[in-house]
């Protein structure tokens, strides 16, 4: 008779707090950070080969869904992680910025590949030399194109940032000044 093997279930670690018989207490920042970290909804803004690597990352071999990012959003109003992948022409810059501005707070940006991060090999008048000239970027993934393992590492870095961010950080004068530097209200 065949032995039944039950899969091991990994449970997310609870945030630091006080625990007793029948209760657990922690701060709201830690609970919200943990929930946000494990439920990112990425909006892929893919224009070239980095988009293909992202598709490979979403496939069954790498399975980005195990990090809570399985639900892709193709509407900026329903996404909280903008993933910019590939070459961004200067004519596309206003569209990318509009997509960013339509996203609700809190929102994070991941720049994937050499082209989105610095213009890549295309040092021409028509290519934007890094998306950080028009929108703030939280995590850069290097490579041309980056491997799926690098994409997963970038997602993990975003998750660390999301989990450690205070709920009220977006209301601080520093954050408002950073957005004002980009001309975003």
């Amino acid at each position: 008779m065949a032995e039944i093997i039950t899969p091991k279930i990994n449970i997310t670690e609870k945030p630091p707090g006080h625990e007793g018989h029948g209760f657990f207490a922690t701060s709201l920042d830690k609970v919200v950070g943990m929930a946000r970290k494990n439920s990112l909804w990425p909006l892929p803004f893919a224009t070239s080969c980095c988009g293909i690597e992202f598709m490979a990352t979403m496939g069954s071999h790498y399975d980005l869904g195990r990090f809570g990012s399985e639900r892709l959003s193709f509407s900026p109003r329903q996404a909280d992680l903008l993933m910019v992948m590939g070459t961004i022409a200067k004519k596309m810059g206003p569209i990318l910025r509009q997509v960013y501005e339509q996203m609700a707070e809190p929102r994070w940006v991941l720049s994937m590949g050499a082209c989105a991060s610095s213009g890549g090999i295309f040092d021409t008048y028509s290519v934007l030399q890094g998306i950080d000239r028009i929108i703030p970027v939280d995590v850069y993934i290097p490579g041309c194109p980056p491997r799926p393992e690098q994409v997963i590492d970038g997602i993990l870095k975003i998750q660390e940032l999301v989990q450690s961010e205070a709920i009220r950080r977006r209301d601080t004068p520093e954050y408002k000044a950073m957005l004002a530097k980009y001309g975003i209200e």
Side-chain angles (χ1 to χ4, degrees):
M1 186 166 166
E3 181 181 336
I4 298 174
I5 299 173
T6 56
K8 185 175 186 292
I9 298 173
N10 293 327
I11 298 174
T12 302
E13 290 184 31
K14 62 185 174 215
H18 301 286
E19 189 171 2
H21 184 69
F23 79 93
F24 177 76
T26 187
S27 70
L28 183 62
D29 276 352
K30 292 177 181 151
V31 171
V32 170
M34 184 180 69
R36 283 180 179 166
K37 168 192 168 193
N38 294 306
S39 63
L40 289 173
W41 287 6
L43 185 151
F45 195 95
T47 60
S48 47
C49 46
C50 286
I52 303 300
E53 290 298 318
F54 176 68
M55 289 178 212
T57 309
M58 290 299 297
S60 61
H61 187 71
Y62 294 100
D63 190 21
L64 197 60
R66 64 192 158 132
F67 300 103
S69 299
E70 189 158 21
R71 186 213 178 265
L72 294 181
S73 179
F74 294 99
S75 167
R77 289 181 173 86
Q78 297 174 350
D80 52 13
L81 172 62
L82 177 60
M83 296 181 69
V84 182
M85 304 168 245
T87 310
I88 304 297
K90 286 184 180 174
K91 284 186 175 184
M92 292 168 59
I95 305 302
L96 176 61
R97 185 183 171 112
Q98 181 180 15
V99 167
Y100 176 79
E101 289 175 347
Q102 287 177 349
M103 293 173 66
E105 287 282 0
R107 58 188 171 207
W108 297 274
V109 177
L110 189 140
S111 179
M112 182 174 158
C115 292
S117 299
S118 66
I121 60 170
F122 306 107
D123 190 9
T124 65
Y125 69 93
S126 62
V127 174
L128 189 64
Q129 299 300 302
I131 64 167
D132 56 358
R133 294 180 182 219
I134 57 171
I135 59 174
V137 176
D138 296 299
V139 172
Y140 295 90
I141 301 176
C144 184
R147 297 270 310 135
E149 294 87 358
Q150 290 173 279
V151 178
I152 289 172
D153 187 54
I155 294 289
L156 292 174
K157 298 288 186 219
I158 285 280
Q159 284 184 329
E160 288 173 19
L161 177 72
V162 169
Q163 185 171 15
S164 64
E165 182 178 283
I167 295 174
R168 300 285 179 226
R169 179 183 90 90
R170 308 275 169 166
D171 297 330
T172 62
E174 295 84 14
Y175 185 76
K176 292 183 188 294
M178 188 263 307
L179 288 181
K181 186 176 88 172
Y182 286 97
I184 299 170
E185 294 179 10

